[in-house]
Amino acid sequence: MIFKQVFDIKTSTYTYLIASAKGREAIIIDPVIENVNEYIQLLKALDLKLVKVIDTHIHADHVTGASKLKKATNCATIMGEHTPSEAVEIKVKDNEIIKIDDLEIKSIYTPGHTSESYSFLLENYLFSGDALLINGTGRTDFQNGNSKDSYHSIFDKLLKLPEETLLYPGHDYNGKKVSTIGNEKKFNPRLQVKNVDEYIEIMANLNLTKPDMMDSNVSRNIQLGIN
C-alpha cells in the first residue's frame, strides 16, 4: 500500500492519498481545492491513477477539490448516502466496502459533527474526518450537528475498534499527525465522561467562533467545490 498525508497550512486540514502498489490505483480523502495541483503532481511522481475521491462530510472551513480532481482525472466522487449533495456520483451506505484494486475501505456512518459525516476504515487505518480528532472531537454547533449523535458515533462505533487502530483525523491544529484509538480512550479530554449528558455539556460550552467563509464554503461543497 502507498500512503501519503498532505497538510493544508491555511485550514489545518489533512488530505490522504492511498493507493495500491500492485495496480497503481489511488483514492484521495478530503481534498482541498487550493492543493489540487499538488495532489496531481504527487500522483504523477508516484505513477498512480486517481480513480476515486471521498469527502467525509460537507466541510465548513475549506472548499473541497473533488470536482476539480474529477475534471482533471475523471475519477469518481464519493460521499455517504446522508449527504445533501446531488453532485456526488457514488453514495455509500453504512458498512459498505469501497474497493481500490486489492484494498478494501469500509464506510462507517458517524454523524454528530454534521448529519452526513462518515468515517472510513482501511485495515487498521481509520480516517475519521471531523468525527474524532486527536485530543478532541468535531464541533457540533452547525450544519445539523448534534452532540448526542457525536457521542454515540464515537463511543458506540469508533472506540469499539481495536485500540491499536491508527487514527488519522481531518484536522489537527497542534502539529499532531496520527494517534490511536487506545490513546484517545485514555487521554482525549472530551472522552473522559461518564455518560452522554456530560459530553453534551462539554460540547455546549466550547464557545467556538464561526469559520470564515462558512456559508459560502458549505454552499460550494454541496456542489463538490464548483463555483
Side-chain angles (χ1 to χ4, degrees):
M1 186 178 79
I2 296 166
F3 174 73
K4 297 291 182 181
Q5 184 179 31
V6 182
F7 186 65
D8 179 68
I9 295 174
K10 182 180 177 183
T11 61
S12 298
T13 298
Y14 279 124
T15 298
Y16 299 96
L17 184 152
I18 306 147
S20 163
K22 180 181 177 182
R24 316 307 293 181
E25 288 189 346
I27 189 165
I28 288 179
I29 299 175
D30 285 342
V32 176
I33 194 167
E34 289 87 354
N35 301 334
V36 165
N37 290 338
E38 180 183 352
Y39 308 145
I40 291 172
Q41 290 302 314
L42 190 55
L43 290 162
K44 288 179 179 177
L46 296 170
D47 189 29
L48 300 175
K49 175 181 172 58
L50 184 66
V51 293
K52 292 172 181 172
V53 59
I54 296 175
D55 274 306
T56 54
H57 62 288
I58 301 292
H59 307 280
D61 60 346
H62 70 271
V63 175
T64 176
S67 285
K68 194 171 180 180
L69 280 169
K70 177 173 176 57
K71 186 175 181 181
T73 68
N74 201 33
C75 64
T77 55
I78 299 176
M79 287 191 76
E81 67 173 346
H82 299 79
T83 180
S85 174
E86 295 301 323
V88 176
E89 293 171 90
I90 301 171
K91 296 183 180 182
V92 294
K93 300 178 184 300
D94 188 27
N95 292 318
E96 187 169 334
I97 300 297
I98 302 164
K99 291 192 176 183
I100 307 292
D101 284 335
D102 54 349
L103 303 178
E104 293 189 347
I105 302 171
K106 184 171 80 168
S107 62
I108 306 172
Y109 182 41
T110 49
H113 172 61
T114 64
S115 58
E116 79 287 341
S117 291
Y118 271 68
S119 299
F120 295 89
L121 182 67
L122 169 62
E123 298 172 358
N124 69 323
Y125 290 66
L126 175 66
F127 303 98
S128 58
D130 290 13
L132 177 60
L133 306 175
I134 298 172
N135 291 327
T137 60
R139 62 191 293 172
T140 58
D141 58 335
F142 51 68
Q143 286 178 264
N144 300 314
N146 184 288
S147 296
K148 185 177 180 180
D149 288 346
S150 173
Y151 176 91
H152 288 299
S153 291
I154 295 167
F155 281 87
D156 298 342
K157 292 186 176 183
L158 300 184
L159 296 187
K160 295 291 178 66
L161 295 169
E163 292 200 349
E164 64 270 20
T165 302
L166 297 170
L167 173 69
Y168 286 98
H171 297 278
D172 192 83
Y173 305 96
N174 300 298
K176 298 184 185 301
K177 294 184 176 182
V178 61
S179 182
T180 65
I181 291 298
N183 280 342
E184 296 311 305
K185 279 184 178 179
K186 293 174 186 174
F187 303 118
N188 190 320
R190 293 188 195 170
L191 306 185
Q192 310 311 307
V193 293
K194 297 184 181 69
N195 53 49
V196 63
D197 293 329
E198 286 188 9
Y199 181 79
I200 290 171
E201 184 175 358
I202 288 173
M203 300 307 287
N205 291 287
L206 294 179
N207 298 317
L208 299 172
T209 58
K210 182 177 175 180
D212 294 337
M213 303 288 292
M214 174 179 163
D215 294 337
S216 172
N217 290 344
V218 168
S219 177
R220 286 184 67 183
N221 286 330
I222 289 174
Q223 299 300 319
L224 295 187
I226 297 174
N227 280 310

